[in-house]
Amino acid sequence: MLTFAENSKDMNTEEKKRRGRPSTGVTTVDIHYKMSSDLFSALPSDVKRNTYINDAVRAKMKEDGYI
């Protein structure tokens, strides 16, 4: 068996590469939500759905005293 010292690296001295997409600092949680079709059709297409739903849930949670 041939090994070349100049090509072999010691894993203890080499820092492991990080895999995946770097963290962006966004603190969101993905949930699955099925909106009723009548509500979906009434929602204008120029409105950002996630923002609209978050604002509505936040207002209701404040009203109910959760936050």
Side-chain angles (χ1 to χ4, degrees), residues 4 10 16 20 28 37 45 49 51-52 58 65:
F4 299 100
D10 186 14
K16 291 185 178 181
T28 60
S37 61
S45 61
R49 283 182 260 159
T51 304
Y52 187 85
R58 188 172 286 111

Side-chain angles (χ1 to χ4, degrees), residues 21 26-33 50 54:
R21 186 179 303 172
V26 176
T27 55
T28 60
V29 177
D30 291 334
I31 64 166
H32 181 77
Y33 169 71
N50 285 336
N54 282 338

Side-chain angles (χ1 to χ4, degrees), residues 2-54:
L2 293 173
T3 58
F4 299 100
E6 62 271 1
N7 290 337
S8 65
K9 293 183 180 179
D10 186 14
M11 288 300 289
N12 294 333
T13 60
E14 182 181 341
E15 184 178 330
K16 291 185 178 181
K17 292 183 180 180
R18 301 184 104 186
R19 293 186 155 205
R21 186 179 303 172
S23 177
T24 60
V26 176
T27 55
T28 60
V29 177
D30 291 334
I31 64 166
H32 181 77
Y33 169 71
K34 288 189 174 187
M35 182 181 282
S36 299
S37 61
D38 60 330
L39 295 175
F40 184 77
S41 61
L43 191 63
S45 61
D46 61 336
V47 173
K48 293 183 179 179
R49 283 182 260 159
N50 285 336
T51 304
Y52 187 85
I53 292 169
N54 282 338

